[in-house]
Amino acid sequence: MTFHDRGSMSQAPSYAAGCMILSVRTGRFLFSLRPDDVDEPSTWSLWGGKAEPGEVDPQDTALREAIEETGVSLKGDLQHLRRKEMSRFFYDTFLLTVPDEFEPVKTNESAGHKWVPLDDLPSPLHWGVTDLLGDYTAVKIMTKAVERLSGRPCDFDDVYIP
């Protein structure tokens, strides 16, 4: 199933989406430290959130959320990493590549940020990131993107897999 397929979902989508943001120059990923007023506070996560009314494409949601949460006007191609189906909604994760690292604007959506290589992740990780890293196909897409785009080696065996 691709992220455009809705299967039997004929009503408005109930989904959320997010991005793993990759710097092409450094081969590092941007993580967000979740603030104290959300579920799973003080854990490192990707950039994302719930769809807003009228959004019908998880790609649009993922990019809007990344822009809102980083405070930076981001552009780039999104590559679908996976869809996680849960009891009441689904979550699509995308890989967003940007030319270089940038400094996110301070917003109430994040208590901090870090650019890190995929094989040296911050701790503690949000359960959703841990779950994503347990998906062999998603991690393989990310490691190959690091190697292809930045030239930085990223050995899959060195990546944290729960």
Side-chain angles (χ1 to χ4, degrees):
M1 177 188 306
T2 68
F3 64 92
H4 290 289
D5 296 333
R6 299 282 185 256
S8 63
M9 296 180 67
S10 57
Q11 67 271 22
S14 180
Y15 68 87
C19 294
M20 291 287 292
I21 301 174
L22 169 63
S23 164
V24 171
R25 186 183 68 80
T26 65
R28 300 191 320 169
F29 289 85
L30 180 61
F31 282 86
S32 171
L33 183 61
R34 292 174 61 85
D36 290 335
D37 61 346
V38 299
D39 290 339
E40 302 284 328
S42 302
T43 58
W44 292 95
S45 187
L46 49 80
W47 307 84
K50 295 177 185 173
E52 289 188 350
E55 284 181 330
V56 296
D57 190 331
Q59 266 188 308
D60 295 338
T61 300
L63 189 55
R64 177 189 49 76
E65 285 286 339
I67 291 168
E68 283 180 5
E69 293 181 4
T70 64
V72 175
S73 180
L74 300 169
K75 295 181 181 170
D77 291 328
L78 293 171
Q79 182 177 4
H80 193 249
L81 294 174
R82 74 160 188 175
R83 169 174 282 174
K84 173 74 174 179
E85 303 224 12
M86 294 178 245
S87 60
R88 294 187 317 236
F89 72 101
F90 59 88
Y91 193 99
D92 283 294
T93 305
F94 297 87
L95 176 64
L96 173 63
T97 55
V98 296
D100 204 351
E101 294 181 10
F102 59 88
E103 186 71 21
V105 174
K106 180 74 174 137
T107 70
N108 63 353
E109 301 274 354
S110 176
H113 69 278
K114 277 187 186 180
W115 285 98
V116 297
L118 196 57
D119 49 6
D120 188 21
L121 297 171
S123 183
L125 290 173
H126 181 271
W127 70 266
V129 175
T130 301
D131 190 64
L132 175 68
L133 295 175
D135 184 310
Y136 180 84
T137 302
V139 173
K140 201 65 167 172
I141 291 168
M142 289 186 283
T143 58
K144 292 300 181 193
V146 168
E147 293 172 347
R148 184 182 79 252
L149 298 171
S150 74
R152 182 184 170 281
C154 189
D155 187 358
F156 181 71
D157 294 333
D158 291 338
V159 175
Y160 170 74
I161 304 291

